[in-house]
Amino acid sequence: LPIKIHRPLEGVIKGVLIKRTKSGKWYGIVQTEVEQKPLPPTGKVIGIDVGVRYFLTDTDGRQVENPHFYEKPLKRIKKLQKNLSRKQKGSKNWEKTRMMLAKAYEKLVNQRNDFLHKLSRFYIDNYDVTAVEDLRIQNMVRGGRTLAQRILDASWGKFVRLFSYKAE
């Protein structure tokens, strides 16, 4: 298989996973074991509060805009979903439409993941001690539909997970 290695492999290779996405792309995931080096201490402490209007506000006064990744492609996704439901399941046109819908969702997920990884990496690199608001997201999304959709679009839970594993 032709491959693109976008960065050099470091450490001892422990395993390789071959993955195919819904949009038909193939990925090879190489698992390696690398000895971790701690980041240099900065002596800075920060608290983070997440929200709907601003994705987060920290104790330094920095406010990060909420990018609303789901709201932007929503019209296209609705249109593709409607087109897909009108096609004969299993036909060539159904498969083409399903592929376009999968690519639209994949783009949405990739944009969101990129934003969350970059933001969490910024706070881990620049601060020694960080405190993030403890939220019960599942209880918050049981309310109104619009607020629940915005909370889920913000992906606070994923941000906290990425943040915690990078901090470790």
Side-chain angles (χ1 to χ4, degrees):
L1 293 173
I3 61 169
K4 288 183 188 176
I5 298 176
H6 62 88
R7 63 178 156 199
L9 298 175
E10 300 172 3
V12 181
I13 296 175
K14 293 294 186 175
V16 178
L17 299 171
I18 306 296
K19 176 183 171 185
R20 183 173 180 240
T21 62
K22 298 257 186 196
S23 64
K25 293 181 184 174
W26 289 86
Y27 291 96
I29 302 161
V30 180
Q31 301 168 333
T32 61
E33 188 175 354
V34 180
E35 189 174 317
Q36 295 292 324
K37 298 173 188 163
L39 294 172
T42 61
K44 295 180 183 178
V45 178
I46 196 159
I48 296 174
D49 177 42
V50 294
V52 176
R53 181 162 184 229
Y54 294 103
F55 181 78
L56 66 81
T57 305
D58 61 24
T59 53
D60 286 348
R62 188 178 300 115
Q63 292 181 325
V64 177
E65 283 290 326
N66 193 347
H68 301 291
F69 289 114
Y70 189 64
E71 289 180 8
K72 292 172 185 171
L74 186 61
K75 277 186 181 178
R76 177 165 169 74
I77 287 173
K78 280 183 178 180
K79 185 178 177 186
L80 286 170
Q81 192 67 53
K82 191 175 183 180
N83 287 346
L84 183 67
S85 67
R86 291 179 174 173
K87 305 281 188 231
Q88 177 74 36
K89 191 170 184 178
S91 68
K92 287 280 190 183
N93 285 331
W94 179 85
E95 185 59 32
K96 285 185 211 173
T97 308
R98 188 199 62 78
M99 194 68 79
M100 285 191 288
L101 184 62
K103 285 180 182 178
Y105 274 116
E106 189 175 313
K107 182 178 180 182
L108 169 73
V109 169
N110 288 343
Q111 286 176 332
R112 185 180 291 141
N113 287 342
D114 182 57
F115 170 75
L116 295 174
H117 275 291
K118 286 178 180 176
L119 191 60
S120 61
R121 177 49 57 194
F122 170 78
Y123 281 103
I124 294 301
D125 288 345
N126 294 316
Y127 296 95
D128 284 344
V129 179
T130 53
V132 181
E133 178 181 16
D134 186 27
L135 296 171
R136 298 184 189 275
I137 299 168
Q138 290 299 321
N139 294 341
M140 295 174 75
V141 296
R142 289 184 186 154
R145 179 180 169 215
T146 306
L147 180 62
Q149 193 176 40
R150 288 178 184 236
I151 290 170
L152 293 173
D153 181 32
S155 297
W156 299 333
K158 187 163 191 168
F159 173 72
V160 172
R161 277 194 311 275
L162 293 174
F163 194 81
S164 64
Y165 98 77
K166 288 176 185 178
E168 289 176 11

